[in-house]
Amino acid sequence: MSLVSAYNEWDPIEEIIVGSALHAAMPNEDKGFKTIQKTTHDLFDSIRPGAFHQKIIDETEDDIQAFVDELKKLAIQVRRPDPIKFKDKFKTLDWEAEHYFCYCPRDILLTIGDMIIETPNVFRSRYFETFAYKDILLDYMRSGSKWISAPKPRLLNEIYNDSDPNQSALMNLEPVFDAANVLRAGQDIFYLVSDSGNELGFQWLQNILGKQYRVHPCRNLYSSMHIDSTLCLLKPGLALVNPSRVTDDNLPPLLRNWDKLIAPEMVEYTYSDAGSFSTKWLGMNLLMLAPTVAVVDKFQLPLIKLLEKNGIDVIPLILRHGRTLGGGFHCITLDVKRKGKLENYF
């Protein structure tokens, strides 16, 4: 029986992958990083290239272990990557780059039904990141899961728009997108067209998934990176929305009949002066363990109260350096198996 089975963002989790901060380092040269820096205004603070301070790594690993311990208390199977330590730059036929990290499996791997898909990530520094998950992927394949890898993009200079900051950072020359551009709601899949996912990426995903799924491109919703600090699908009929980005006009039409919780202002805090790689809205980057249980940043008390008022119990935890490393509880996980089946929620 396939170990991969995930059709939405809220059914009870049975198995999950949790990333690692070990060997994380900010790349010195990455054309994608530099291009997106020019087109966004709430990401990419001035983080110096090179390995993150060991204190940041150690404290993050402690926070992740506390998170893993909570998951195991709920009888959730947890898998971890084998982080790669690159000694030098790696090369393709066209360019060379430095490795970034294995902290956010949500960006590079996508589970839909019994498929696990290696997505064509937009950053050169993450080109070989899925190697850290190869043993896990092999286990899933042996269990009957469909293991698919998108065509490896060449990521030539021409795919990055560094001439017009008013346009997307990605040109439409080949399929490129991060898995974190995607939200699942049964037969309907929401795909954010943005600086981390282009139109050809949307088309490739729809072609691969076929008629069983309907992939909806979300245009003019949020122009920068990833959808999971803009929209959170909490359970059928209920979504959490970012009021600074989502309006009645740009909300995906299918979601306009759902009840919407308006995310309160995020509580900002810092545990280091290393800088921020993420918007303050990372605070709403929560993980639904079940339709009535969420893991939420413990400092986001207004958000916690809002969720509890609407029937969702909260497990308050912390990732002290989440904004520096660029990932909250949704980012650093990949829900591999959830109870439930494919349904039509619309």
Side-chain angles (χ1 to χ4, degrees):
M1 183 177 178
S2 171
L3 290 174
V4 177
S5 180
Y7 294 101
N8 55 52
E9 304 291 327
W10 55 77
D11 277 342
I13 293 179
E14 296 182 304
E15 180 157 334
I16 195 168
I17 297 174
V18 179
S20 171
L22 294 178
H23 314 313
M26 182 58 65
N28 186 35
E29 295 182 6
D30 188 307
K31 182 72 172 177
F33 273 55
K34 292 182 177 180
T35 303
I36 294 175
Q37 268 183 303
K38 293 181 180 180
T39 60
T40 192
H41 302 287
D42 60 358
L43 298 175
F44 295 97
D45 203 0
S46 55
I47 298 180
R48 294 183 297 273
F52 287 96
H53 194 282
Q54 191 60 43
K55 179 175 183 287
I56 291 176
I57 301 298
D58 291 344
E59 290 182 348
T60 299
E61 284 297 294
D62 289 344
D63 292 343
I64 290 176
Q65 187 57 56
F67 173 43
V68 168
D69 291 344
E70 290 296 321
L71 295 174
K72 290 183 176 179
K73 289 178 185 176
L74 298 172
I76 295 173
Q77 175 71 33
V78 178
R79 303 224 187 183
R80 306 291 306 278
D82 184 14
I84 303 170
K85 185 176 183 180
F86 284 82
K87 294 182 180 178
D88 302 298
K89 294 181 179 180
F90 58 81
K91 297 181 180 181
T92 71
L93 295 174
D94 304 300
W95 43 261
E96 61 181 29
E98 296 168 330
H99 182 61
Y100 184 20
F101 62 11
C102 299
Y103 180 62
C104 293
R106 180 75 57 180
D107 300 350
I108 57 167
L109 294 168
L110 175 63
T111 52
I112 297 180
D114 64 352
M115 289 181 288
I116 188 162
I117 302 171
E118 297 183 57
T119 58
N121 191 268
V122 302
F123 290 148
R124 291 172 176 174
S125 56
R126 307 187 71 175
Y127 207 72
F128 295 112
E129 190 174 321
T130 55
F131 281 20
Y133 300 86
K134 287 297 181 182
D135 289 342
I136 298 173
L137 293 170
L138 281 167
D139 282 347
Y140 291 157
M141 186 193 71
R142 293 187 184 106
S143 76
S145 309
K146 297 182 179 69
W147 173 16
I148 298 171
S149 180
K152 274 289 188 188
R154 289 187 69 179
L155 298 180
L156 299 176
N157 287 347
E158 289 76 15
I159 200 169
Y160 301 112
N161 166 33
D162 56 7
S163 60
D164 186 353
N166 296 314
Q167 301 296 320
S168 173
L170 295 175
M171 305 299 286
N172 206 39
L173 301 179
E174 59 183 343
V176 283
F177 69 95
D178 287 3
N181 277 48
V182 176
L183 290 177
R184 303 151 304 178
Q187 292 180 327
D188 293 279
I189 308 293
F190 299 96
Y191 175 101
L192 182 69
V193 179
S194 65
D195 290 341
S196 54
N198 64 8
E199 295 278 355
L200 278 176
F202 149 66
Q203 183 179 340
W204 180 87
L205 184 60
Q206 179 65 84
N207 290 352
I208 287 297
L209 295 179
K211 295 181 180 179
Q212 192 174 23
Y213 296 92
R214 300 176 291 264
V215 183
H216 304 275
C218 301
R219 304 181 180 96
N220 303 315
L221 179 62
Y222 175 52
S223 63
S224 190
M225 292 183 61
H226 305 162
I227 196 170
D228 51 2
S229 60
T230 299
L231 280 174
C232 300
L233 305 184
L234 305 176
K235 56 185 175 182
L238 184 63
L240 177 69
V241 301
N242 183 328
S244 74
R245 301 173 187 169
V246 180
T247 67
D248 291 339
D249 293 331
N250 68 3
L251 184 69
L254 282 182
L255 296 175
R256 292 177 187 176
N257 290 327
W258 280 30
D259 293 330
K260 289 169 281 294
L261 303 183
I262 307 302
E265 191 68 20
M266 295 292 105
V267 177
E268 296 193 66
Y269 59 90
T270 181
Y271 278 84
S272 81
D273 59 358
S276 173
F277 185 67
S278 299
T279 165
K280 67 179 182 179
W281 291 103
L282 191 71
M284 62 177 284
N285 190 260
L286 56 83
L287 176 68
M288 297 302 297
L289 299 183
T292 58
V293 183
V295 176
V296 183
D297 182 325
K298 74 176 186 180
F299 284 111
Q300 305 307 324
L301 294 179
L303 175 58
I304 290 172
K305 291 178 181 178
L306 177 64
L307 294 171
E308 290 177 339
K309 183 179 178 180
N310 285 272
I312 297 174
D313 294 329
V314 169
I315 300 175
L317 295 171
I318 190 172
L319 290 169
R320 280 168 281 184
H321 304 287
R323 289 188 66 185
T324 296
L325 289 169
F329 291 106
H330 195 257
C331 297
I332 71 163
T333 57
L334 181 68
D335 44 334
V336 173
K337 190 171 186 178
R338 290 181 179 267
K339 294 179 181 178
K341 60 184 180 180
L342 181 63
E343 295 189 37
N344 183 0
Y345 297 101
F346 302 96

